[in-house]
């Protein structure tokens, strides 16, 4: 399943609600703060989480970032994600190639790379 998500701390929840209003898509959830469950994990804060999963709504997100391209390393990740959206919209969530693109997308994410 291809997903667009945005998660900000509760202090910035108004931004998340504005993004949902702008796209007229998705749902908003609240995640509760929690203490680390294992050594080495960090604390989390209460957050507001916006998620779009519907095939009919995902193209709105793609269209927006086509008109207003990302200006960072996220641009590469967006190109891969856009391919995933196109595949899912054309063939469904079991589309051939989604697994390969998921691996590519994961390796393109800055947080998934070792610190240099």
């Amino acid at each position: 399943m291809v997903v667009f998500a945005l998660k900000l701390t509760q202090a910035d929840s108004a931004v998340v609600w504005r993004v949902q209003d702008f796209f007229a898509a998705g749902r908003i959830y609240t995640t509760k703060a929690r203490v680390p469950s294992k050594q080495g994990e960090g604390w989390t804060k209460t957050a507001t989480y916006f998620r779009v999963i519907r095939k009919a709504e995902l193209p709105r997100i793609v269209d927006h970032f086509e008109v207003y391209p990302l200006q960072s390393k996220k641009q590469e990740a967006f190109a891969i994600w856009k391919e995933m959206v196109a595949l899912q919209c054309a063939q469904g969530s079991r589309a051939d190639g989604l697994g390969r693109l998921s691996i590519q997308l994961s390796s393109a994410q800055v947080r998934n790379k070792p610190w240099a």
Side-chain angles (χ1 to χ4, degrees):
M1 173 181 0
V2 180
V3 174
F4 174 81
L6 171 68
K7 183 178 176 184
L8 297 175
T9 62
Q10 189 173 22
D12 293 323
S13 67
V15 173
V16 176
W17 285 98
R18 288 179 60 199
V19 169
Q20 183 195 34
D21 287 344
F22 176 81
F23 286 116
R27 296 190 62 189
I28 291 182
Y29 306 90
T30 300
T31 59
K32 294 182 180 179
R34 59 188 164 92
V35 298
S37 58
K38 299 187 248 182
Q39 187 175 7
E41 288 185 351
W43 293 75
T44 64
K45 296 180 180 181
T46 300
T48 306
Y49 179 70
F50 169 60
R51 185 174 75 178
V52 179
I53 60 172
R54 291 186 180 157
K55 287 193 303 185
E57 295 175 343
L58 287 169
R60 291 182 214 162
I61 311 296
V62 172
D63 292 346
H64 174 77
F65 289 112
E66 288 285 292
V67 175
Y68 303 99
L70 295 164
Q71 301 294 311
S72 66
K73 293 183 180 194
K74 289 284 186 180
Q75 195 171 36
E76 178 187 348
F78 171 73
I80 298 165
W81 182 81
K82 181 175 82 168
E83 277 187 68
M84 293 173 73
V85 170
L87 267 175
Q88 180 169 303
C89 288
Q91 301 176 15
S93 61
R94 298 197 184 272
D96 290 339
L98 278 180
R100 175 185 55 79
L101 288 170
S102 292
I103 291 167
Q104 236 183 314
L105 181 60
S106 182
S107 66
Q109 299 297 321
V110 174
R111 69 171 184 248
N112 294 333
K113 294 186 179 184
W115 292 96

